[in-house]
Amino acid sequence: MPDEPWWKSAVIYQIYPRSFADSTGDGVGDLEGIRRHLDHLEWLGVDAIWLSPFFRSPMADFGYDVSDYCDVDPLFGDLDAFDRLLADIHGRGMRLIIDWVPNHSSSEHPWFIAARSSREDPKRDWYFWRDPHPDGTPPNNWKQAFRDAPAWTLDPTTDQLYLHLFLPEQPDLNWGNPDVEAAMHETLRFWLDRGVDGFRMDVIHAIGKDPALPDDPPEVAALPHSSLNDTPFTHQLLRRIRALLDSYTGDRMSVGEVFLLDTAKVGTYLRDQLHLAFNFPPLFTKWRSYRWAKQLDDAAAYIEPNGWPTWVLSNHDVVRHRTRYGSEDRARAAAVLLLGLRGTPFLYMGEELGLENADVPPDRVVDPGGRDGCRAPLPWDRSRGHGWGEPWLPFPPDAAARSVEALRDEPESILHLYRELLAQRKASPALQLGDQERIEVADGALAWERARGDDRRVVAVNFTDEAVAVPNLQGTVVVSSDRLGEGETFTGTLGPDQAVWLRV
Ligand code: NOJ
């Protein structure tokens, strides 16, 4: 689409590198594994890849604890492997965005090792250090994520506590120190100069702390503090990050993880700040028409005035939506919904296979946040190892039947449905960039029209397992979640769990 930045019409596919493809047989995915499987993504029709962290890391939080922002962890390859991957992605006309983790480093980052070595160290102020209260309690009531415990850990060498909104192995960087800001800008430049098309920015809403580090209000004091942060300082920092990205040619972009479960607040991170922001209320919304109606209306009310929406059903932090919604039929309808919405859709690797969360027995649990089930490796083929060495996590259920190889052989599979949706979306200006207007239909269903110029599509989704009459919807079926009746005139009734795109 000329005149519009690529990321507005793109479908972006998230790869969790540990679990995508293993080229070495060590049971952990790697960059070369990704490169060797780009055919799958090209065949599927995705426009861009978001790669979760592959940087040097002690892996306390599986890569979201970075000990060198400008290098590849040997587990995943090296910078040459990264350059080869990026060149191959670009050679196929796709884009690459990478994860940037600016709120905290690893406790093994040289910056933190220096900071904790002495109270006088020049890097001391790159992190947050405080004395406990006289009664020994922590400096404030903030809670860390994943555990019911304070966001503070005592460092015995210098006898002060440091702040960490996540694990103790993830100390928070002090963006109030201009040297931190400059150093982190350098890490962006490092990857921009290498040619990446943008960044997914981890817990970006938390980077600008109020230097007073005030207590959380009592009603939320039991929640992880990262989900509450929203300071004017963060917005200032984001404007400077935006200026940096925009100083490069080629539409470099940012998509921020603004983990505030309030769409109105998410909207305030756009305009001259982030290019895109994840809006997570839909991710936590039940499969009910009236709840989704509210999500569409909220995006229109709060995101649209400031920027362009995004839509996500699954990622590496939450139970897969195939499991949450409870059936393959709903997962298929959800794909028709997701790819029919106005905004940039993000797919999480494996949703195109209809993968469920893996069952992870207690002795194989590795993640401190209990998220292993959605991070299970992608099954590539029907063979016993599904294309992997002994994998770091168990496979999702029915891995042979759900493998890429098996589903490609089945023309009616969810994999082919995704491919068809992506192709139809790419062929339709209305679906890619068109306006969106809701159409009132019977309870249990949701419908909207997308329009751009002469191109018009109607999207209709039945959220129930009974047929719903929608007599006011007319058109020719372009795609149906059950793949029946393509090219036919729509009958005015949505079957159980059926979702359709109609050409009007
Ligand atoms: C959000 C990431 O998606 C999650 O995986 C990680 O644990 C936290 N941020 C901390 O970096």
Side-chain angles (χ1 to χ4, degrees):
M1 291 283 157
D3 307 333
E4 295 279 4
W6 65 270
W7 42 265
K8 286 181 87 173
S9 55
V11 175
I12 304 182
Y13 182 99
Q14 180 191 357
I15 289 182
Y16 190 70
R18 296 183 79 88
S19 299
F20 187 71
D22 171 15
S23 76
T24 60
D26 68 353
V28 177
D30 47 63
L31 298 183
E32 177 61 15
I34 297 169
R35 200 184 65 77
R36 291 190 194 165
H37 287 85
L38 289 176
D39 280 350
H40 172 62
L41 301 182
E42 204 180 347
W43 174 85
L44 188 60
V46 303
D47 302 290
I49 296 167
W50 149 29
L51 201 49
S52 282
F54 52 82
F55 315 104
R56 275 192 191 265
S57 166
M59 304 288 168
D61 189 14
F62 295 96
Y64 284 94
D65 49 321
V66 180
S67 56
D68 185 344
Y69 288 96
C70 300
D71 202 2
V72 174
D73 195 276
L75 196 60
F76 299 123
D78 54 22
L79 283 169
D80 287 340
F82 177 84
D83 290 341
R84 278 196 299 275
L85 173 62
L86 180 60
D88 209 337
I89 290 170
H90 281 165
R92 292 164 188 261
M94 295 190 282
R95 314 256 181 171
L96 178 66
I97 68 174
I98 63 172
D99 226 299
W100 186 54
V101 190
N103 178 69
H104 44 266
S105 73
S106 160
S107 53
E108 292 182 31
H109 195 292
W111 299 340
F112 189 72
I113 293 174
R116 82 188 317 176
S117 69
S118 113
R119 290 192 185 200
E120 278 71 51
D121 188 90
K123 293 252 173 2
R124 182 72 170 177
D125 182 51
W126 283 39
Y127 296 85
F128 295 93
W129 298 95
R130 297 287 186 279
D131 294 321
H133 289 307
D135 66 357
T137 54
N140 67 20
N141 66 359
W142 296 2
K143 290 284 167 79
Q144 59 177 288
F146 312 136
R147 296 176 189 150
D148 183 18
W152 295 92
T153 291
L154 181 73
D155 177 60
T157 314
T158 56
D159 199 29
Q160 277 191 313
L161 299 123
Y162 65 89
L163 175 69
H164 52 91
L165 299 187
F166 292 87
L167 297 172
E169 293 87 347
Q170 294 167 293
D172 279 51
L173 283 159
N174 175 15
W175 278 76
N177 181 327
D179 294 341
V180 169
E181 184 176 359
M184 289 307 289
H185 280 199
E186 275 312 304
T187 68
L188 289 173
R189 284 201 190 88
F190 177 86
W191 294 104
L192 289 166
D193 291 340
R194 273 198 128 74
V196 303
D197 299 289
F199 301 90
R200 178 267 189 187
M201 301 187 168
D202 192 64
V203 285
I204 195 70
H205 63 289
I207 63 174
K209 314 274 189 305
D210 175 343
L213 304 179
D215 273 342
D216 285 331
E219 62 276 16
V220 291
L223 300 172
H225 182 75
S226 59
S227 55
L228 304 168
N229 254 329
D230 178 33
T231 68
F233 182 42
T234 298
H235 296 275
Q236 278 174 32
L237 291 170
L238 280 174
R239 289 187 185 99
R240 302 202 281 262
I241 290 169
R242 173 63 172 259
L244 192 166
L245 293 182
D246 287 353
S247 74
Y248 279 75
T249 55
D251 270 345
R252 315 298 176 101
M253 58 82 81
S254 54
V255 52
E257 187 200 27
V258 180
F259 209 118
L260 298 166
L261 297 180
D262 175 340
T263 304
K265 277 193 183 160
V266 173
T268 67
Y269 284 77
L270 297 165
R271 280 187 195 270
D272 55 347
Q273 302 166 56
L274 296 166
H275 298 82
L276 292 173
F278 286 133
N279 175 44
F280 284 153
L283 188 62
F284 298 107
T285 291
K286 291 216 165 75
W287 188 246
R288 299 274 182 281
S289 58
Y290 63 95
R291 293 190 185 245
W292 273 89
K294 175 167 165 47
Q295 297 306 332
L296 267 64
D297 295 347
D298 281 358
Y302 302 118
I303 305 289
E304 294 275 358
N306 299 302
W308 184 249
T310 61
W311 300 94
V312 186
L313 299 178
S314 285
N315 65 29
H316 64 295
D317 288 331
V318 298
V319 173
R320 283 183 175 277
H321 68 272
R322 161 68 184 81
T323 303
R324 293 197 323 269
Y325 295 166
S327 76
E328 166 118 358
D329 288 348
R330 284 184 176 181
R332 295 176 72 119
V336 175
L337 166 130
L338 173 74
L339 292 159
L341 287 165
R342 178 173 153 92
T344 301
F346 286 77
L347 309 181
Y348 178 49
M349 60 173 212
E351 75 174 73
E352 77 277 23
L353 307 175
L355 292 185
E356 291 183 68
N357 250 45
D359 235 333
V360 182
D363 62 322
R364 299 215 39 196
V365 167
V366 288
D367 175 44
R371 299 160 294 184
D372 299 316
C374 63
R375 299 176 175 181
L378 210 77
W380 287 101
D381 58 40
R382 298 185 181 95
S383 74
R384 248 192 96 234
H386 307 306
W388 289 76
E390 186 55 35
W392 72 290
L393 284 175
F395 285 103
D398 308 320
R402 294 258 153 224
S403 66
V404 174
E405 179 190 38
L407 296 185
R408 272 187 75 150
D409 288 347
E410 266 177 56
E412 302 271 293
S413 68
I414 188 167
L415 176 59
H416 282 273
L417 173 66
Y418 266 88
R419 183 169 187 245
E420 179 70 9
L421 290 165
L422 263 61
Q424 292 288 352
R425 196 177 193 276
K426 197 157 282 176
S428 165
L431 286 168
Q432 284 191 304
L433 290 164
D435 296 339
Q436 174 166 303
E437 196 153 340
R438 277 219 297 124
I439 307 171
E440 282 309 318
V441 286
D443 283 353
L446 191 63
W448 60 93
E449 185 177 275
R450 304 289 311 279
R452 188 167 169 100
D454 294 341
D455 191 37
R456 286 166 70 201
R457 295 284 182 283
V458 165
V459 180
V461 182
N462 181 357
F463 286 76
T464 74
D465 53 13
E466 283 165 27
V468 176
V470 286
N472 54 331
L473 304 186
Q474 283 154 10
T476 309
V477 178
V478 181
V479 188
S480 169
S481 59
D482 57 2
R483 302 271 296 170
L484 298 177
E486 279 159 275
E488 289 174 6
T489 304
F490 184 60
T491 60
T493 299
L494 288 168
D497 299 312
Q498 189 188 16
V500 294
W501 287 354
L502 309 176
R503 182 182 287 117
V504 192

